[in-house]
Amino acid sequence: MIAIASPSLFQSHLPHWALLALLALSVMPHQAVASDARAIATTICAACHGADGNSTDPAYPKIAGMDEGYLLRQLRYFASGKRRNEVMETIIKDIREADFSSLANYYSAQKPLPGKVNNAQLAAVGKRLYEDGNTETGVPACAGCHQPDGDGNARFPRLAGQHQVYTLQQLGNYHSGRRATDRLMVAVAQRLSADEMKALAEYVAGL
Amino acid sequence: MGMVKKCWAILALQLACSGAYALDAPVWVGINDPAWNEMYPVRVQAMQAKGDAVRGEAKFVICQGCHRSAAVGRVDGSYPRLAGQHVSVLIKQMTDVQTERRSNPKMQPFIHLHEVLPQNVADIAVYLHGLPVTANHGRGPGDDLQHGQLLYMKDCATCHGKQGEGSDEQFYPRVSGQHFNYLLRESLIIRDGKRRNAHPDMVTVIKRYTDKDIAAVADFMSRLPVNP
């Protein structure tokens, strides 16, 4: 009887979720920066990286949840030519430098989806390397810089859940010196064997 | 006018350079042994910089892939323990590797001046010195300890201390709490002239040592009390 006598105003007109959605919409126009970044992400970046930064094509990196500072630096490297990549070199020209910060902010705020380990045995080899390094050849434990969970930070990128193909490609680029945006990583990659690279790529995909 | 200005500039430069050796008259004034304790610019800069442990901890991230979190090193001796080492020793060793006065190709890229500046060296050294030394380090087989003790007390204790405590003032490393295999390896390469930056007196002493002598001393050192 009491419940009927005092119906909530919310329950009588709209469900909670609809009210929350309306509230969110009413806030959005004030956040011009954020919506610009989303628009750029959807129209320019999404084809390869996905609108939410979880690319489905393993040739292109997942960038969701990567550190904002790291993403911003990479955008600047691509723009200046310090980091080379045929696809990015062309596409970066369509993005204004003034939008780099909000774009980095947008993708770092996206939720990263987990990757998939295809070969558990190989991943186990990778795990040992990732956590202990190779004392014979002077490979440091990756966990030292990229953190045990592969979450990374402003200097060292997130590796967790990354596509095997992409991780392997970048390790190869560091090894050959094609990518030299971080001298430490060049030194590390030059000490890694091809088999070790494959094992590491397999392991971090499952982090 | 130009000449006067130039003279002033030279004087100022000389003052700036000599300041390191004159201001507080630190103990290392006058030490300039090119084979062991040369005071080259990056080392002087690191010694003059005021180290900050918080900054040091942040910078140490790039070292912990090998030396491990809290600088405990590896029990197998592949990488030394750095926790609790003297600041002066840490600075000397870091800058010696940096400037290739100490041969260490594995570490070289990670301590390169592109990556680690004298201020960073000072920060890292202060951070490491303040870390606790625990008794879970690698030890030797323990089968020749009397021989090791005899040699250590006769030849090593004068500099490295009866308890293996070393000396911050004299740049002598603390050896207690260090991993056995590291002590063994470094002693061998010092004897064989491959490390290059050891004290000449140590080289003279250790030259006479057989592999068996060195193993016995390293074993004894690895068993010195960690917190005497």
PDB file of all heavy atoms in Angstrom, chain A residues 49-86:
ATOM      1  N   HIS A  49      43.298   1.023 -36.159  1.00  0.00           N
ATOM      2  CA  HIS A  49      43.426   0.813 -34.714  1.00  0.00           C
ATOM      3  C   HIS A  49      42.098   0.524 -34.029  1.00  0.00           C
ATOM      4  O   HIS A  49      42.088   0.196 -32.842  1.00  0.00           O
ATOM      5  CB  HIS A  49      44.063   2.049 -34.050  1.00  0.00           C
ATOM      6  CG  HIS A  49      45.476   2.307 -34.481  1.00  0.00           C
ATOM      7  ND1 HIS A  49      46.527   1.520 -34.077  1.00  0.00           N
ATOM      8  CD2 HIS A  49      46.002   3.259 -35.296  1.00  0.00           C
ATOM      9  CE1 HIS A  49      47.660   1.992 -34.617  1.00  0.00           C
ATOM     10  NE2 HIS A  49      47.367   3.035 -35.363  1.00  0.00           N
ATOM     11  N   GLY A  50      40.980   0.666 -34.741  1.00  0.00           N
ATOM     12  CA  GLY A  50      39.669   0.521 -34.129  1.00  0.00           C
ATOM     13  C   GLY A  50      39.289   1.799 -33.411  1.00  0.00           C
ATOM     14  O   GLY A  50      40.160   2.492 -32.895  1.00  0.00           O
ATOM     15  N   ALA A  51      38.005   2.113 -33.382  1.00  0.00           N
ATOM     16  CA  ALA A  51      37.550   3.364 -32.754  1.00  0.00           C
ATOM     17  C   ALA A  51      37.871   3.365 -31.268  1.00  0.00           C
ATOM     18  O   ALA A  51      38.103   4.405 -30.669  1.00  0.00           O
ATOM     19  CB  ALA A  51      36.055   3.551 -32.983  1.00  0.00           C
ATOM     20  N   ASP A  52      37.913   2.161 -30.666  1.00  0.00           N
ATOM     21  CA  ASP A  52      38.220   2.081 -29.230  1.00  0.00           C
ATOM     22  C   ASP A  52      39.675   1.688 -28.978  1.00  0.00           C
ATOM     23  O   ASP A  52      40.056   1.362 -27.859  1.00  0.00           O
ATOM     24  CB  ASP A  52      37.280   1.082 -28.550  1.00  0.00           C
ATOM     25  CG  ASP A  52      37.544  -0.347 -29.017  1.00  0.00           C
ATOM     26  OD1 ASP A  52      38.279  -0.540 -30.028  1.00  0.00           O
ATOM     27  OD2 ASP A  52      37.039  -1.295 -28.380  1.00  0.00           O
ATOM     28  N   GLY A  53      40.493   1.678 -30.038  1.00  0.00           N
ATOM     29  CA  GLY A  53      41.912   1.386 -29.870  1.00  0.00           C
ATOM     30  C   GLY A  53      42.264  -0.088 -29.773  1.00  0.00           C
ATOM     31  O   GLY A  53      43.423  -0.427 -29.552  1.00  0.00           O
ATOM     32  N   ASN A  54      41.247  -0.953 -29.922  1.00  0.00           N
ATOM     33  CA  ASN A  54      41.516  -2.389 -29.910  1.00  0.00           C
ATOM     34  C   ASN A  54      41.472  -2.919 -31.345  1.00  0.00           C
ATOM     35  O   ASN A  54      40.460  -3.440 -31.791  1.00  0.00           O
ATOM     36  CB  ASN A  54      40.490  -3.117 -29.027  1.00  0.00           C
ATOM     37  CG  ASN A  54      40.714  -2.843 -27.561  1.00  0.00           C
ATOM     38  OD1 ASN A  54      41.701  -3.278 -26.981  1.00  0.00           O
ATOM     39  ND2 ASN A  54      39.814  -2.071 -26.960  1.00  0.00           N
ATOM     40  N   SER A  55      42.569  -2.762 -32.047  1.00  0.00           N
ATOM     41  CA  SER A  55      42.598  -3.157 -33.447  1.00  0.00           C
ATOM     42  C   SER A  55      42.335  -4.656 -33.562  1.00  0.00           C
ATOM     43  O   SER A  55      42.705  -5.435 -32.672  1.00  0.00           O
ATOM     44  CB  SER A  55      43.963  -2.846 -34.047  1.00  0.00           C
ATOM     45  OG  SER A  55      44.911  -3.806 -33.625  1.00  0.00           O
ATOM     46  N   THR A  56      41.697  -5.040 -34.666  1.00  0.00           N
ATOM     47  CA  THR A  56      41.432  -6.464 -34.867  1.00  0.00           C
ATOM     48  C   THR A  56      42.436  -7.065 -35.845  1.00  0.00           C
ATOM     49  O   THR A  56      42.661  -8.267 -35.846  1.00  0.00           O
ATOM     50  CB  THR A  56      40.000  -6.683 -35.404  1.00  0.00           C
ATOM     51  OG1 THR A  56      39.772  -5.751 -36.464  1.00  0.00           O
ATOM     52  CG2 THR A  56      38.977  -6.439 -34.301  1.00  0.00           C
ATOM     53  N   ASP A  57      43.054  -6.225 -36.660  1.00  0.00           N
ATOM     54  CA  ASP A  57      44.079  -6.701 -37.592  1.00  0.00           C
ATOM     55  C   ASP A  57      45.421  -6.718 -36.844  1.00  0.00           C
ATOM     56  O   ASP A  57      45.903  -5.674 -36.397  1.00  0.00           O
ATOM     57  CB  ASP A  57      44.158  -5.737 -38.785  1.00  0.00           C
ATOM     58  CG  ASP A  57      45.149  -6.215 -39.845  1.00  0.00           C
ATOM     59  OD1 ASP A  57      46.082  -6.972 -39.485  1.00  0.00           O
ATOM     60  OD2 ASP A  57      44.989  -5.831 -41.011  1.00  0.00           O
ATOM     61  N   PRO A  58      46.032  -7.909 -36.706  1.00  0.00           N
ATOM     62  CA  PRO A  58      47.245  -8.019 -35.887  1.00  0.00           C
ATOM     63  C   PRO A  58      48.456  -7.235 -36.426  1.00  0.00           C
ATOM     64  O   PRO A  58      49.447  -7.078 -35.708  1.00  0.00           O
ATOM     65  CB  PRO A  58      47.541  -9.524 -35.875  1.00  0.00           C
ATOM     66  CG  PRO A  58      46.809 -10.083 -37.030  1.00  0.00           C
ATOM     67  CD  PRO A  58      45.598  -9.215 -37.235  1.00  0.00           C
ATOM     68  N   ALA A  59      48.374  -6.753 -37.636  1.00  0.00           N
ATOM     69  CA  ALA A  59      49.492  -5.964 -38.173  1.00  0.00           C
ATOM     70  C   ALA A  59      49.512  -4.563 -37.566  1.00  0.00           C
ATOM     71  O   ALA A  59      50.527  -3.873 -37.613  1.00  0.00           O
ATOM     72  CB  ALA A  59      49.390  -5.875 -39.689  1.00  0.00           C
ATOM     73  N   TYR A  60      48.353  -4.155 -37.032  1.00  0.00           N
ATOM     74  CA  TYR A  60      48.270  -2.820 -36.437  1.00  0.00           C
ATOM     75  C   TYR A  60      48.139  -2.928 -34.923  1.00  0.00           C
ATOM     76  O   TYR A  60      47.380  -3.763 -34.426  1.00  0.00           O
ATOM     77  CB  TYR A  60      47.070  -2.058 -37.005  1.00  0.00           C
ATOM     78  CG  TYR A  60      47.138  -1.930 -38.506  1.00  0.00           C
ATOM     79  CD1 TYR A  60      46.217  -2.594 -39.324  1.00  0.00           C
ATOM     80  CD2 TYR A  60      48.138  -1.176 -39.115  1.00  0.00           C
ATOM     81  CE1 TYR A  60      46.296  -2.499 -40.701  1.00  0.00           C
ATOM     82  CE2 TYR A  60      48.215  -1.080 -40.499  1.00  0.00           C
ATOM     83  CZ  TYR A  60      47.293  -1.746 -41.287  1.00  0.00           C
ATOM     84  OH  TYR A  60      47.384  -1.657 -42.648  1.00  0.00           O
ATOM     85  N   PRO A  61      48.865  -2.100 -34.197  1.00  0.00           N
ATOM     86  CA  PRO A  61      48.879  -2.273 -32.734  1.00  0.00           C
ATOM     87  C   PRO A  61      47.578  -1.872 -32.054  1.00  0.00           C
ATOM     88  O   PRO A  61      46.885  -0.956 -32.500  1.00  0.00           O
ATOM     89  CB  PRO A  61      50.005  -1.332 -32.297  1.00  0.00           C
ATOM     90  CG  PRO A  61      50.077  -0.292 -33.356  1.00  0.00           C
ATOM     91  CD  PRO A  61      49.732  -1.003 -34.640  1.00  0.00           C
ATOM     92  N   LYS A  62      47.313  -2.557 -30.981  1.00  0.00           N
ATOM     93  CA  LYS A  62      46.273  -2.104 -30.056  1.00  0.00           C
ATOM     94  C   LYS A  62      46.882  -0.927 -29.301  1.00  0.00           C
ATOM     95  O   LYS A  62      48.010  -1.013 -28.819  1.00  0.00           O
ATOM     96  CB  LYS A  62      45.958  -3.208 -29.045  1.00  0.00           C
ATOM     97  CG  LYS A  62      45.273  -4.417 -29.629  1.00  0.00           C
ATOM     98  CD  LYS A  62      44.965  -5.377 -28.487  1.00  0.00           C
ATOM     99  CE  LYS A  62      44.371  -6.670 -29.013  1.00  0.00           C
ATOM    100  NZ  LYS A  62      44.199  -7.663 -27.936  1.00  0.00           N
ATOM    101  N   ILE A  63      46.152   0.162 -29.235  1.00  0.00           N
ATOM    102  CA  ILE A  63      46.679   1.331 -28.526  1.00  0.00           C
ATOM    103  C   ILE A  63      45.784   1.747 -27.361  1.00  0.00           C
ATOM    104  O   ILE A  63      46.113   2.686 -26.635  1.00  0.00           O
ATOM    105  CB  ILE A  63      46.905   2.525 -29.491  1.00  0.00           C
ATOM    106  CG1 ILE A  63      45.628   2.838 -30.267  1.00  0.00           C
ATOM    107  CG2 ILE A  63      48.055   2.237 -30.434  1.00  0.00           C
ATOM    108  CD1 ILE A  63      45.749   4.064 -31.158  1.00  0.00           C
ATOM    109  N   ALA A  64      44.685   1.020 -27.172  1.00  0.00           N
ATOM    110  CA  ALA A  64      43.783   1.334 -26.051  1.00  0.00           C
ATOM    111  C   ALA A  64      44.510   1.154 -24.725  1.00  0.00           C
ATOM    112  O   ALA A  64      45.209   0.165 -24.529  1.00  0.00           O
ATOM    113  CB  ALA A  64      42.562   0.412 -26.087  1.00  0.00           C
ATOM    114  N   GLY A  65      44.372   2.124 -23.846  1.00  0.00           N
ATOM    115  CA  GLY A  65      44.934   1.999 -22.507  1.00  0.00           C
ATOM    116  C   GLY A  65      46.425   2.241 -22.411  1.00  0.00           C
ATOM    117  O   GLY A  65      47.007   2.103 -21.337  1.00  0.00           O
ATOM    118  N   MET A  66      47.063   2.583 -23.557  1.00  0.00           N
ATOM    119  CA  MET A  66      48.496   2.917 -23.482  1.00  0.00           C
ATOM    120  C   MET A  66      48.641   4.274 -22.803  1.00  0.00           C
ATOM    121  O   MET A  66      47.740   5.103 -22.857  1.00  0.00           O
ATOM    122  CB  MET A  66      49.100   2.992 -24.885  1.00  0.00           C
ATOM    123  CG  MET A  66      49.509   1.634 -25.423  1.00  0.00           C
ATOM    124  SD  MET A  66      50.470   1.842 -26.924  1.00  0.00           S
ATOM    125  CE  MET A  66      51.003   0.162 -27.208  1.00  0.00           C
ATOM    126  N   ASP A  67      49.801   4.506 -22.214  1.00  0.00           N
ATOM    127  CA  ASP A  67      50.021   5.762 -21.498  1.00  0.00           C
ATOM    128  C   ASP A  67      49.903   6.961 -22.452  1.00  0.00           C
ATOM    129  O   ASP A  67      50.416   6.935 -23.572  1.00  0.00           O
ATOM    130  CB  ASP A  67      51.410   5.744 -20.865  1.00  0.00           C
ATOM    131  CG  ASP A  67      51.643   6.966 -20.011  1.00  0.00           C
ATOM    132  OD1 ASP A  67      52.045   8.008 -20.573  1.00  0.00           O
ATOM    133  OD2 ASP A  67      51.408   6.876 -18.802  1.00  0.00           O
ATOM    134  N   GLU A  68      49.226   7.974 -21.976  1.00  0.00           N
ATOM    135  CA  GLU A  68      48.980   9.188 -22.769  1.00  0.00           C
ATOM    136  C   GLU A  68      50.293   9.816 -23.268  1.00  0.00           C
ATOM    137  O   GLU A  68      50.427  10.181 -24.442  1.00  0.00           O
ATOM    138  CB  GLU A  68      48.233  10.183 -21.881  1.00  0.00           C
ATOM    139  CG  GLU A  68      47.769  11.408 -22.585  1.00  0.00           C
ATOM    140  CD  GLU A  68      46.946  12.297 -21.651  1.00  0.00           C
ATOM    141  OE1 GLU A  68      46.535  11.840 -20.567  1.00  0.00           O
ATOM    142  OE2 GLU A  68      46.725  13.458 -22.019  1.00  0.00           O
ATOM    143  N   GLY A  69      51.263   9.927 -22.368  1.00  0.00           N
ATOM    144  CA  GLY A  69      52.552  10.523 -22.721  1.00  0.00           C
ATOM    145  C   GLY A  69      53.275   9.706 -23.777  1.00  0.00           C
ATOM    146  O   GLY A  69      53.895  10.257 -24.688  1.00  0.00           O
ATOM    147  N   TYR A  70      53.175   8.396 -23.662  1.00  0.00           N
ATOM    148  CA  TYR A  70      53.809   7.524 -24.647  1.00  0.00           C
ATOM    149  C   TYR A  70      53.165   7.708 -26.020  1.00  0.00           C
ATOM    150  O   TYR A  70      53.854   7.866 -27.026  1.00  0.00           O
ATOM    151  CB  TYR A  70      53.703   6.055 -24.212  1.00  0.00           C
ATOM    152  CG  TYR A  70      54.238   5.121 -25.264  1.00  0.00           C
ATOM    153  CD1 TYR A  70      55.609   4.933 -25.422  1.00  0.00           C
ATOM    154  CD2 TYR A  70      53.385   4.466 -26.154  1.00  0.00           C
ATOM    155  CE1 TYR A  70      56.116   4.123 -26.423  1.00  0.00           C
ATOM    156  CE2 TYR A  70      53.878   3.648 -27.149  1.00  0.00           C
ATOM    157  CZ  TYR A  70      55.237   3.480 -27.281  1.00  0.00           C
ATOM    158  OH  TYR A  70      55.736   2.683 -28.288  1.00  0.00           O
ATOM    159  N   LEU A  71      51.833   7.717 -26.060  1.00  0.00           N
ATOM    160  CA  LEU A  71      51.120   7.869 -27.339  1.00  0.00           C
ATOM    161  C   LEU A  71      51.431   9.220 -27.987  1.00  0.00           C
ATOM    162  O   LEU A  71      51.681   9.297 -29.195  1.00  0.00           O
ATOM    163  CB  LEU A  71      49.607   7.728 -27.115  1.00  0.00           C
ATOM    164  CG  LEU A  71      49.109   6.313 -26.808  1.00  0.00           C
ATOM    165  CD1 LEU A  71      47.624   6.337 -26.467  1.00  0.00           C
ATOM    166  CD2 LEU A  71      49.369   5.368 -27.975  1.00  0.00           C
ATOM    167  N   LEU A  72      51.444  10.255 -27.174  1.00  0.00           N
ATOM    168  CA  LEU A  72      51.733  11.592 -27.692  1.00  0.00           C
ATOM    169  C   LEU A  72      53.125  11.634 -28.311  1.00  0.00           C
ATOM    170  O   LEU A  72      53.325  12.180 -29.402  1.00  0.00           O
ATOM    171  CB  LEU A  72      51.615  12.618 -26.555  1.00  0.00           C
ATOM    172  CG  LEU A  72      51.931  14.067 -26.917  1.00  0.00           C
ATOM    173  CD1 LEU A  72      50.979  14.576 -27.993  1.00  0.00           C
ATOM    174  CD2 LEU A  72      51.841  14.960 -25.671  1.00  0.00           C
ATOM    175  N   ARG A  73      54.075  11.024 -27.617  1.00  0.00           N
ATOM    176  CA  ARG A  73      55.451  11.023 -28.132  1.00  0.00           C
ATOM    177  C   ARG A  73      55.534  10.278 -29.464  1.00  0.00           C
ATOM    178  O   ARG A  73      56.196  10.715 -30.393  1.00  0.00           O
ATOM    179  CB  ARG A  73      56.390  10.406 -27.098  1.00  0.00           C
ATOM    180  CG  ARG A  73      57.815  10.912 -27.218  1.00  0.00           C
ATOM    181  CD  ARG A  73      58.665  10.582 -26.008  1.00  0.00           C
ATOM    182  NE  ARG A  73      58.771   9.163 -25.760  1.00  0.00           N
ATOM    183  CZ  ARG A  73      58.232   8.532 -24.735  1.00  0.00           C
ATOM    184  NH1 ARG A  73      57.553   9.200 -23.842  1.00  0.00           N
ATOM    185  NH2 ARG A  73      58.386   7.236 -24.574  1.00  0.00           N
ATOM    186  N   GLN A  74      54.831   9.154 -29.568  1.00  0.00           N
ATOM    187  CA  GLN A  74      54.868   8.396 -30.822  1.00  0.00           C
ATOM    188  C   GLN A  74      54.258   9.203 -31.968  1.00  0.00           C
ATOM    189  O   GLN A  74      54.763   9.198 -33.082  1.00  0.00           O
ATOM    190  CB  GLN A  74      54.157   7.043 -30.675  1.00  0.00           C
ATOM    191  CG  GLN A  74      54.728   6.144 -29.599  1.00  0.00           C
ATOM    192  CD  GLN A  74      56.238   5.984 -29.665  1.00  0.00           C
ATOM    193  OE1 GLN A  74      56.790   5.625 -30.710  1.00  0.00           O
ATOM    194  NE2 GLN A  74      56.925   6.275 -28.574  1.00  0.00           N
ATOM    195  N   LEU A  75      53.144   9.892 -31.686  1.00  0.00           N
ATOM    196  CA  LEU A  75      52.519  10.729 -32.723  1.00  0.00           C
ATOM    197  C   LEU A  75      53.522  11.769 -33.230  1.00  0.00           C
ATOM    198  O   LEU A  75      53.650  12.006 -34.430  1.00  0.00           O
ATOM    199  CB  LEU A  75      51.264  11.414 -32.179  1.00  0.00           C
ATOM    200  CG  LEU A  75      50.034  10.515 -32.016  1.00  0.00           C
ATOM    201  CD1 LEU A  75      48.952  11.235 -31.204  1.00  0.00           C
ATOM    202  CD2 LEU A  75      49.471  10.107 -33.379  1.00  0.00           C
ATOM    203  N   ARG A  76      54.240  12.380 -32.293  1.00  0.00           N
ATOM    204  CA  ARG A  76      55.233  13.394 -32.672  1.00  0.00           C
ATOM    205  C   ARG A  76      56.385  12.763 -33.452  1.00  0.00           C
ATOM    206  O   ARG A  76      56.908  13.368 -34.377  1.00  0.00           O
ATOM    207  CB  ARG A  76      55.753  14.100 -31.422  1.00  0.00           C
ATOM    208  CG  ARG A  76      54.700  15.036 -30.839  1.00  0.00           C
ATOM    209  CD  ARG A  76      55.186  15.745 -29.601  1.00  0.00           C
ATOM    210  NE  ARG A  76      54.193  16.696 -29.141  1.00  0.00           N
ATOM    211  CZ  ARG A  76      54.073  17.099 -27.887  1.00  0.00           C
ATOM    212  NH1 ARG A  76      54.905  16.631 -26.958  1.00  0.00           N
ATOM    213  NH2 ARG A  76      53.153  17.976 -27.549  1.00  0.00           N
ATOM    214  N   TYR A  77      56.786  11.568 -33.053  1.00  0.00           N
ATOM    215  CA  TYR A  77      57.863  10.873 -33.773  1.00  0.00           C
ATOM    216  C   TYR A  77      57.442  10.576 -35.212  1.00  0.00           C
ATOM    217  O   TYR A  77      58.223  10.738 -36.143  1.00  0.00           O
ATOM    218  CB  TYR A  77      58.218   9.557 -33.080  1.00  0.00           C
ATOM    219  CG  TYR A  77      59.039   9.699 -31.821  1.00  0.00           C
ATOM    220  CD1 TYR A  77      59.108   8.640 -30.910  1.00  0.00           C
ATOM    221  CD2 TYR A  77      59.773  10.848 -31.539  1.00  0.00           C
ATOM    222  CE1 TYR A  77      59.869   8.735 -29.752  1.00  0.00           C
ATOM    223  CE2 TYR A  77      60.525  10.956 -30.379  1.00  0.00           C
ATOM    224  CZ  TYR A  77      60.567   9.897 -29.488  1.00  0.00           C
ATOM    225  OH  TYR A  77      61.314   9.983 -28.340  1.00  0.00           O
ATOM    226  N   PHE A  78      56.185  10.128 -35.378  1.00  0.00           N
ATOM    227  CA  PHE A  78      55.709   9.838 -36.736  1.00  0.00           C
ATOM    228  C   PHE A  78      55.669  11.124 -37.555  1.00  0.00           C
ATOM    229  O   PHE A  78      56.037  11.148 -38.725  1.00  0.00           O
ATOM    230  CB  PHE A  78      54.318   9.191 -36.700  1.00  0.00           C
ATOM    231  CG  PHE A  78      54.334   7.743 -36.303  1.00  0.00           C
ATOM    232  CD1 PHE A  78      53.581   7.287 -35.236  1.00  0.00           C
ATOM    233  CD2 PHE A  78      55.096   6.823 -37.019  1.00  0.00           C
ATOM    234  CE1 PHE A  78      53.592   5.947 -34.866  1.00  0.00           C
ATOM    235  CE2 PHE A  78      55.116   5.474 -36.663  1.00  0.00           C
ATOM    236  CZ  PHE A  78      54.365   5.039 -35.577  1.00  0.00           C
ATOM    237  N   ALA A  79      55.207  12.207 -36.919  1.00  0.00           N
ATOM    238  CA  ALA A  79      55.086  13.484 -37.630  1.00  0.00           C
ATOM    239  C   ALA A  79      56.454  14.017 -38.043  1.00  0.00           C
ATOM    240  O   ALA A  79      56.612  14.581 -39.131  1.00  0.00           O
ATOM    241  CB  ALA A  79      54.359  14.509 -36.745  1.00  0.00           C
ATOM    242  N   SER A  80      57.452  13.832 -37.168  1.00  0.00           N
ATOM    243  CA  SER A  80      58.783  14.378 -37.468  1.00  0.00           C
ATOM    244  C   SER A  80      59.626  13.431 -38.314  1.00  0.00           C
ATOM    245  O   SER A  80      60.682  13.806 -38.808  1.00  0.00           O
ATOM    246  CB  SER A  80      59.526  14.670 -36.161  1.00  0.00           C
ATOM    247  OG  SER A  80      59.882  13.449 -35.533  1.00  0.00           O
ATOM    248  N   GLY A  81      59.164  12.191 -38.462  1.00  0.00           N
ATOM    249  CA  GLY A  81      59.925  11.207 -39.228  1.00  0.00           C
ATOM    250  C   GLY A  81      60.935  10.454 -38.395  1.00  0.00           C
ATOM    251  O   GLY A  81      61.674   9.615 -38.902  1.00  0.00           O
ATOM    252  N   LYS A  82      60.973  10.737 -37.097  1.00  0.00           N
ATOM    253  CA  LYS A  82      61.922  10.021 -36.226  1.00  0.00           C
ATOM    254  C   LYS A  82      61.538   8.549 -36.133  1.00  0.00           C
ATOM    255  O   LYS A  82      62.396   7.687 -35.993  1.00  0.00           O
ATOM    256  CB  LYS A  82      61.947  10.666 -34.831  1.00  0.00           C
ATOM    257  CG  LYS A  82      63.032  10.100 -33.954  1.00  0.00           C
ATOM    258  CD  LYS A  82      63.194  10.857 -32.653  1.00  0.00           C
ATOM    259  CE  LYS A  82      64.273  10.172 -31.799  1.00  0.00           C
ATOM    260  NZ  LYS A  82      64.437  10.790 -30.494  1.00  0.00           N
ATOM    261  N   ARG A  83      60.227   8.283 -36.175  1.00  0.00           N
ATOM    262  CA  ARG A  83      59.778   6.902 -36.257  1.00  0.00           C
ATOM    263  C   ARG A  83      59.172   6.690 -37.633  1.00  0.00           C
ATOM    264  O   ARG A  83      58.283   7.450 -38.043  1.00  0.00           O
ATOM    265  CB  ARG A  83      58.766   6.602 -35.146  1.00  0.00           C
ATOM    266  CG  ARG A  83      58.321   5.150 -35.145  1.00  0.00           C
ATOM    267  CD  ARG A  83      57.481   4.768 -33.948  1.00  0.00           C
ATOM    268  NE  ARG A  83      56.932   3.429 -34.171  1.00  0.00           N
ATOM    269  CZ  ARG A  83      56.039   2.835 -33.405  1.00  0.00           C
ATOM    270  NH1 ARG A  83      55.587   3.450 -32.323  1.00  0.00           N
ATOM    271  NH2 ARG A  83      55.591   1.624 -33.693  1.00  0.00           N
ATOM    272  N   ARG A  84      59.662   5.658 -38.315  1.00  0.00           N
ATOM    273  CA  ARG A  84      59.239   5.443 -39.696  1.00  0.00           C
ATOM    274  C   ARG A  84      58.185   4.341 -39.799  1.00  0.00           C
ATOM    275  O   ARG A  84      58.310   3.297 -39.184  1.00  0.00           O
ATOM    276  CB  ARG A  84      60.456   5.014 -40.553  1.00  0.00           C
ATOM    277  CG  ARG A  84      61.653   5.958 -40.492  1.00  0.00           C
ATOM    278  CD  ARG A  84      61.382   7.254 -41.226  1.00  0.00           C
ATOM    279  NE  ARG A  84      60.773   7.063 -42.526  1.00  0.00           N
ATOM    280  CZ  ARG A  84      61.477   6.832 -43.648  1.00  0.00           C
ATOM    281  NH1 ARG A  84      62.782   6.752 -43.615  1.00  0.00           N
ATOM    282  NH2 ARG A  84      60.861   6.704 -44.808  1.00  0.00           N
ATOM    283  N   ASN A  85      57.143   4.633 -40.579  1.00  0.00           N
ATOM    284  CA  ASN A  85      56.150   3.624 -40.902  1.00  0.00           C
ATOM    285  C   ASN A  85      55.349   4.155 -42.082  1.00  0.00           C
ATOM    286  O   ASN A  85      54.775   5.247 -42.010  1.00  0.00           O
ATOM    287  CB  ASN A  85      55.232   3.357 -39.696  1.00  0.00           C
ATOM    288  CG  ASN A  85      54.143   2.356 -40.013  1.00  0.00           C
ATOM    289  OD1 ASN A  85      53.168   2.671 -40.691  1.00  0.00           O
ATOM    290  ND2 ASN A  85      54.309   1.148 -39.547  1.00  0.00           N
ATOM    291  N   GLU A  86      55.320   3.381 -43.148  1.00  0.00           N
ATOM    292  CA  GLU A  86      54.716   3.842 -44.409  1.00  0.00           C
ATOM    293  C   GLU A  86      53.285   4.339 -44.210  1.00  0.00           C
ATOM    294  O   GLU A  86      52.894   5.372 -44.729  1.00  0.00           O
ATOM    295  CB  GLU A  86      54.731   2.737 -45.478  1.00  0.00           C
ATOM    296  CG  GLU A  86      56.107   2.372 -46.004  1.00  0.00           C
ATOM    297  CD  GLU A  86      56.848   1.402 -45.089  1.00  0.00           C
ATOM    298  OE1 GLU A  86      56.291   1.049 -44.020  1.00  0.00           O
ATOM    299  OE2 GLU A  86      57.987   1.022 -45.416  1.00  0.00           O
TER     300      GLU A  86
END
